[in-house]
Each structure stands twice: as C-alpha cells, then as structure tokens.
Amino acid sequence: MKSYVRLRFASVVAIVAGLALSTQAIPQTDPLPSWNDGAAKKAISEFVRATTDKTSARFVPPEERIATFDQDGTLWVEHPLYTQVVYCLDRVPAVVKATRDLANVEPFRTVLSGDRKAIAKLSTDDLLKILEATLTGMSVDEFKAEAKNWLKTARDPRWHRHYTELTYIPMLELLKYLRANAYRTYIVTGGGQDFVRVYSEEIYGIPPEQVVGTASGTKYGYDQNGKPFLTKEPKLLLNDNNAGKPEGIHLMIGRRPYAGFGNSTGDRQMLEYTKAGDGERLTMLVLHDDANREYAYGPALGLPNTKVGTFTQALYDEAKKQAWVVISMKSDWNRIFAFEK
Amino acid sequence: MKSYVRLRFASVVAIVAGLALSTQAIPQTDPLPSWNDGAAKKAISEFVRATTDKTSARFVPPEERIATFDQDGTLWVEHPLYTQVVYCLDRVPAVVKATRDLANVEPFRTVLSGDRKAIAKLSTDDLLKILEATLTGMSVDEFKAEAKNWLKTARDPRWHRHYTELTYIPMLELLKYLRANAYRTYIVTGGGQDFVRVYSEEIYGIPPEQVVGTASGTKYGYDQNGKPFLTKEPKLLLNDNNAGKPEGIHLMIGRRPYAGFGNSTGDRQMLEYTKAGDGERLTMLVLHDDANREYAYGPALGLPNTKVGTFTQALYDEAKKQAWVVISMKSDWNRIFAFEK
C-alpha cells in the first residue's frame, strides 16, 4: 500500500468511527424511568457519573465496581412474611409425611393444623426449627428442583401473583443501570443463599455466584452408583444478617462494595462498611411508606414492629448522620410492579 | 444524505469491516505455545471447541462456563514447602515480639531457633498452631498489607526468585485461553483464601471474588473513631481440601464446574464432582515428574511422600479409570517458567 493510500484509508476509518460514536450518543434515554426526579434519583446518577468518568478524582476502576443489594424488602416484597418462610411452611406436610413422628410435635403440629392465627404467632425459635427441617437433609439438586417447582405454582395472598412477580421495577432498572456501567451487582441477603440462587438469575440477572446469603454447610458423599453429590446439612456456616453481612461480603467477594442498598436494621452494618471506604460511596435505604401500592410499616413511620425487616428510628437517625439516602417508595417511585398498568 | 451517498458510505463500512476481519483471521496463533503436541494439549483444545461451538451437542452457555484450578502445585511451585507456610514461619518473630510469652513455647521456640532441620520436622499440628498465630488476630487490611510486603521481598531457596515468579507459564496460557472462550476461571485452593487473594489478580488475572480457599471467619467491629473494620478470627469456616473443595465450590460459586485442574489427592473430590456433571467435562492433573526443571515427587513415580500435595498411586488409578488427563510436566510442557530462556 502506498503512503497516500494508507492515509486515505486511515481517514475513512476515522470518519466511520466518528459517525458510529455520534450515532450512539444521540438517543439519551433515561435509564431510570420509574424513578421520580428528586434526591434519590440524583444521588444515583451523580454516583455513577463520578465513579465512571475517567477524568473524575473519584473514578473507580471497573474491576473494583461492586454493588451489594439486600433482597427481601429491597428488591422485592417482604411483607407480611418472607417468601422463604412461606415456602418452608408449605413444605411442612411433605417433611412430616417423610418423618411421621413429627406430626404430633410442635411447631409442626400447629403448621399442619392450618390455623393461620396460630401460625402467625409462632416464635422465631419455632420458625428456625421449621427452616432447618425443610431446608436441609436433601441433596442440593433435589432442593433446587423443589424450590423451583414451588415458585412456579405458589401465589402471594394480596395480589395473587407468583412471588417472582413481586420485584420492584425501579430496583430492576437500578441493577441494569449499574451493570451497564460495569458494576457487578451482588445480592447480600439474610435469606437462604441456595433459595435465592434458584431464581436470582432469571428475575434479577444476578447469577448464583453473585448471591451471598445465609448458608448452611453441605456434605460430600456418593450414591449407590458411586456418583458424588452434596447434601444440605443443618450446620450454619454464615448468618448473613447484621454484622454477618460485611463478614459474608469479605468471605464471598473479598472487596468492599462501592454501593450498598438495604431496607432494615439487618442491613445497617453492610451500609456502614460500604460507606467507610475511601472515595465516592453510595448507600441507600428503601423506606416502605406506601400502604396503598405496597405496604407501610416500621417504627420510623410511627408504626409497630413487624415480623419482617424493621426500619427503626435509630436506623433513620444513623442514615441522616451518615448521609445515607432514604428512598421513599411513595414519592421516589412512580411505578412499583411490572403488573401495574 | 441521498441514497447513492448512503450506498457508497455503506460499501466503505463493509470494506473497512472486511479488512478488519480478514486481518484478525489470518494470524491463527497457537494459544498454548508452551504445550507440546500430545494428549493433554489435544484434550484442552477439543474441550474448548466442543463446549463453545453453538452447533455442538455439547455446547455450554457462557454463563455456565466455570473452570476451577487448585493453586499450589497446579498453578505454581509447591515444593519443598507451600509458600504460605514459609510466610507464616517468617512471621513468627514479629508475632512472638508482640506476644512475649510465646518465645519459650513450642513450636514457636523451634522456629525462632532458626534450626532448619528441626523446623522441617515440625508436625502438622505444630504448623497449624503457627498458621493460627500468624494469620489471625489482625485486621483484614493489616493482613493484606503485610502479606503484600512479604511477597515483594521474600525469595525461594532454589531459584532465588520472588514466589510470584514461580507460576507455570503453560497454566497461565491455559487460564487466558479459557477466559478468551468466556470461561470464568476460579482458584479453589487448600491454601488461605485471604493470602491467595493478595496476589491472584496480579499474577493470574483472577480477581479476589474468584478465589475460593480455606477460610477463617472475621469479626465486625469499630475502631476508636467509630470506623468499622473486620478482624481475622481463629475460627475455621471452610477447610477447602478434599471433600471441602466441592463443598466450597457450592458455597462460593453455586454451580458445578465444567473443567477442574489439580495435582494431588486433595483435589480428588473436586475432579470427581466436576466429571460427574452432564455433558463435556475436562478434568486434569499435573504430575510433577521433572526433577531437572522443577521437581519430581510422589508415590505414583515410586518416590516417597512429601510434606506437600501428594500424587498417590490410588489417585493415578482413579485418573485412568475416570478418564482424567494427566499432564506430564516433563513431556507436555516445553517451557515451565517465564524466567527460563
């Protein structure tokens, strides 16, 4: 190739590249259409801008871009009972059938009675017994198949929707927006890691390896054909609540997040840990203040405690002091669910 | 833009694109130049071809492409002592200085004596005491800074190189080749997770969140300014050896790997678990049979057991029975280290 040809070729490449760039830049659509303009939406956009702009002093290299999300109450509905607890209660008859002697033992007897009021009054210790009996003792693959199957059929008591439809559209937009900006999005949940992994990829686009949750141990063994399998054991490895959240983040991710999202006292330490890092950090709390479209609960609203994650006055005070952003479902979100018209 | 202009523009784009494509396609370079032609190299190429070709019945969707690698003896030298053990021995004086009463207590007294023969004879229990004393009790950040610093100065006794130079070039090529084919590469090591995370990104391109290893718990707390930090605790959460490897893979990744690489009996269950999955799976064992360029050890070669990972006759037999591929360092690798000319 003679040099003038090379020059012409180079300028054609430059023109084509320039055209491609300018075409991409024109349709500037809002990545967060379900968010109303306000402090919450602005905090998100400003955080993304500052940490992804190479000329910014607060630029974060892509490999360090980690965002962690609580699940229940932050990405989907947690009221009146955590979905996983409903799953465990629904599993009780099958477990009792397999282990006959449980039928007359509390708390299983109460669950079998079907008495909703009595079930609602079960203590945390009772619920833990039910969780252990229904979430362990089977192989990892059996558990996965059962949970998957349940999610296909079970429906929530208020909207009569599959639980996987009760995800918050604004948070799905936020997950996508962060991922489009090279953030890896993790779930860090007090719920069971294996349970959340069953659906996280499909409904949130979060793969199993990016789900950190309360985890029990497994035990490696062989079936009668010598084929290896893992059994879920009643041995708690990680209680991924409160201080367990930053501990779980260190165990499973090994990096401090740049952004953390929660909705209750169980997320406090995760947000503290996120915010304590150098540079720009985004920490946000979802406040359930919309009884009409979703639910309103928690002491910060002057309402009583519930069985699910609690937004206390102390959490509200810490949020203010530490400049965490409180998301009001009522005023910050113009749409909550995909099934709303 | 008039239509003939658009046509001309389109054809320019096509020509430029075509040129770019043809330039890329011509130099079909070998992604594994340090591997000699043979069964091992062929097994790798065939596995990648079968699992990434959309027309293949053995195609694996990108999101499921997980490859797990043991570290010591598989990605870098483990003989005569695991690097982490050397680190812990080197740390003993500082720990004893901080806790004076340890100076006259075994096994610390022996380590302080500097008597190499006596140190080499320390029992596994003694080593565990040393590991606990030198790897826990400090903050996660302090540990990271100390380990990083040590790696910059310490040198191995044979080549007098930094330990991070003792990585196997053929395995680095394999990691890159798999990643170029959308495999996510994980380290699954019996070594300490936090120790390996200090250097894995720099030397293997494997980020901290893709390191699964023996892990102790951490404890969340606050310093005098109220700033939160994590302290490394002497509480074992995961012993990532033998059955602990598939258990650790389930805990941290939640998917069964499609490819698994090891070099000793501690990797047996990981390879069994990998191979037991449906479809195409690649399982390989590195055999240390090159006393000249690296080391030769282990019962499968008729040599005595060593303090490091052991390739027993039983492992060799299982490898044959299950069609795991044995990599001979001597005959499969034409180059081992980057510092070789």
Side-chain angles (χ1 to χ4, degrees), chain B residues 62-208:
Chain B
E63 65 272 19
E64 290 179 27
R65 292 184 200 159
I66 302 280
T68 54
F69 290 81
D70 168 58
Q71 193 203 205
D72 294 298
T74 299
L75 295 178
W76 76 355
V77 175
E78 66 181 352
H79 204 81
L81 274 179
Y82 296 126
T83 303
Q84 188 180 354
V85 173
V86 182
Y87 170 72
C88 292
L89 292 172
D90 282 2
R91 282 270 305 143
V92 165
V95 169
V96 169
K97 204 177 165 187
T99 326
R100 268 267 161 248
D101 51 338
L102 283 180
N104 293 312
V105 177
E106 288 299 351
F108 303 96
R109 190 165 59 178
T110 296
V111 178
L112 289 174
S113 75
D115 178 346
R116 280 171 175 266
K117 276 190 186 165
I119 294 169
K121 277 185 195 153
L122 289 174
S123 69
T124 305
D125 275 356
D126 284 337
L127 286 177
L128 286 176
K129 275 181 204 161
I130 292 164
L131 263 62
E132 185 178 309
T134 53
L135 297 175
T136 66
M138 73 289 287
S139 82
V140 158
D141 293 336
E142 280 165 4
F143 170 78
K144 200 173 156 181
E146 264 163 18
K148 209 163 201 160
N149 205 35
W150 181 82
L151 286 164
K152 271 188 209 154
T153 52
R155 288 173 183 269
D156 88 284
R158 177 165 163 188
W159 295 278
H160 310 290
R161 298 271 171 181
H162 294 307
Y163 286 96
T164 48
E165 293 178 83
L166 303 189
T167 51
Y168 306 136
I169 289 287
M171 296 306 281
L172 294 179
E173 289 170 1
L174 176 55
L175 286 167
K176 276 188 198 163
Y177 180 45
L178 289 172
R179 289 198 291 259
N181 283 282
Y183 276 89
R184 264 151 301 144
T185 54
Y186 280 79
I187 288 174
V188 178
T189 175
Q193 183 170 276
D194 282 345
F195 188 72
V196 179
R197 281 171 168 175
V198 171
Y199 53 81
S200 63
E201 192 151 31
E202 195 180 323
I203 71 174
Y204 303 123
I206 295 180

Side-chain angles (χ1 to χ4, degrees), chain A residues 81 85 89 106-124 126-127 130 307:
Chain A
L81 273 179
V85 172
L89 293 172
E106 287 300 351
F108 303 96
R109 192 166 56 179
T110 296
V111 178
L112 289 175
S113 75
D115 177 347
R116 280 168 175 267
K117 278 191 186 164
I119 294 169
K121 279 185 194 150
L122 288 174
S123 70
T124 304
D126 284 337
L127 286 177
I130 291 165
K307 282 227 169 199

